[in-house]
Amino acid sequence: MRALVTYLALAFGLSWLVALPLWLGDGLDSPSLTVVAIGMMATPAIAAVVVARFVERRPVARALGIVPVRPWGRTFLWAAIAVVVPIALVLVALAVAAALGLYQTDLREFSGFREILDTQLAAAGGVEAAGLPLEVLVALQLVNVVIGTFINLVPALGEEAGWRGWLLPHLAGRLPMWGAVVASGVIWGLWHAPLVLLGYNYPTASPLVALACMVGSCTVLGAVFAWLRLRSGNVWAPALAHGAVNAAGGTYLLFAQAGTTVDTTQVTVLGWTGWIVPVVLIAVLAATGQFRARPEPDTDAVPRPEPVPSAGP
């Protein structure tokens, strides 16, 4: 229990400390927003390193799920799955919202994307977009999602080494697996409070509604990331999946109709319509036993979640 309390105190305390300049300054309008957001993403890993090293006195790399990575074939297979599945879930979420009439799309003229481009080009002094057709620019944005997934891997690892690397196995040693999956997702969602309460991700919602939606989306996505963690045996797959979701998160701007406002409490993978397909996927995975941890036949196998000895009572 001491390890868990220490971890949560550090992860939450450091995140609020890093975000404090936004609260004391211009909020999300601050030019330091990107730096603050990336700094926050490192806090779960920092907390996990401190707890593993000084409270549990375990090897840090294994405690955070950085290793094992062998067999390499399995790691690469799950890395590929971790890129494809989250991007698909983000795009399918838009289709679901459109089918329900909550997301107005323009898939012929891409008027919303054109509007954004015109605004950006005007701000840059009317620079031409290299004479490329709009459809090509949209395709390039989708390619950038894949590239961005790997760029985002580093900051995403800062979160996943904590949430799915250290926290999920720790909770799984004390709770039923489903309890551990849900609890780790709820904790992950609440951890976003320093930014979400300022309007991050949900600019049109009240702070409490925004935080509730963030907890919901993190619980759903966290279950998908937990599946990747348990089946791959390390944290690299969920880190890639996290990076993929972040990279694909803005794709709703590509397909939106000009002049419409997207309510992210209802639309995108952050809103309730975006949780429908992932919940179905999670149910299928659960029914087929995909949330069982792999056995550990040797030193290169995946550790089975077990109670982690605490240094305190």
Side-chain angles (χ1 to χ4, degrees):
M1 181 60 73
R2 180 182 174 187
L4 178 61
V5 171
T6 302
Y7 172 78
L8 294 177
L10 285 173
F12 279 74
L14 289 173
S15 70
W16 277 99
L17 183 63
V18 171
L20 188 60
L22 300 182
W23 284 82
L24 298 178
D26 298 326
L28 300 185
D29 294 326
S30 171
S32 64
L33 173 60
T34 300
V35 175
V36 168
I38 293 175
M40 272 188 62
M41 292 178 76
T43 60
I46 293 172
V49 168
V50 171
V51 170
R53 176 67 181 85
F54 298 105
V55 179
E56 299 176 319
R57 301 191 182 280
R58 289 197 293 157
V60 170
R62 183 170 288 274
L64 273 62
I66 305 299
V67 295
V69 294
R70 290 183 293 176
W72 290 101
R74 186 179 71 198
T75 295
F76 287 132
L77 170 63
W78 284 101
I81 293 172
V83 173
V84 173
V85 170
I87 293 175
L89 291 177
V90 170
L91 296 177
V92 168
L94 301 180
V96 172
L100 294 174
L102 298 172
Y103 175 51
Q104 305 304 313
T105 63
D106 182 355
L107 302 181
R108 295 186 62 183
E109 301 294 331
F110 301 103
S111 57
F113 183 48
R114 184 185 297 276
E115 187 176 67
I116 293 172
L117 278 181
D118 290 343
T119 301
Q120 292 175 341
L121 293 175
V127 179
E128 293 293 331
L132 295 175
L134 192 63
E135 293 81 2
V136 174
L137 293 176
V138 170
L140 289 174
Q141 291 299 312
L142 295 176
V143 171
N144 282 337
V145 168
V146 179
I147 297 172
T149 295
F150 292 92
I151 294 174
N152 290 340
L153 173 61
V154 174
L157 185 62
E159 287 196 45
E160 292 306 314
W163 305 129
R164 255 61 60 179
W166 186 88
L167 181 62
L168 178 64
H170 186 91
L171 292 176
R174 292 159 170 75
L175 300 171
M177 182 58 75
W178 270 111
V181 170
V182 171
S184 60
V186 170
I187 290 169
W188 179 34
L190 292 173
W191 171 86
H192 287 86
L195 291 182
V196 171
L197 293 177
L198 290 173
Y200 194 78
N201 284 340
Y202 302 96
T204 63
S206 67
L208 291 182
V209 169
L211 186 58
C213 287
M214 196 69 203
V215 169
S217 64
C218 285
T219 302
V220 172
L221 288 174
V224 176
F225 295 175
W227 163 61
L228 293 169
R229 166 71 169 102
L230 293 169
R231 304 316 298 166
S232 70
N234 56 56
V235 78
W236 295 102
L240 272 171
H242 193 147
V245 169
N246 288 354
T251 51
Y252 71 93
L253 298 171
L254 296 177
F255 311 118
Q257 189 175 64
T260 59
T261 300
V262 176
D263 181 359
T264 49
T265 65
Q266 302 189 77
V267 181
T268 79
V269 77
L270 296 174
W272 67 267
T273 61
W275 306 342
I276 296 173
V277 172
V279 166
V280 172
L281 172 62
I282 292 163
V284 171
L285 294 172
T288 54
Q290 293 298 302
F291 282 91
R292 292 194 301 266
R294 289 180 177 273
E296 186 178 1
D298 53 52
T299 57
D300 284 333
V302 181
R304 182 168 47 239
E306 295 177 349
V308 178
S310 172

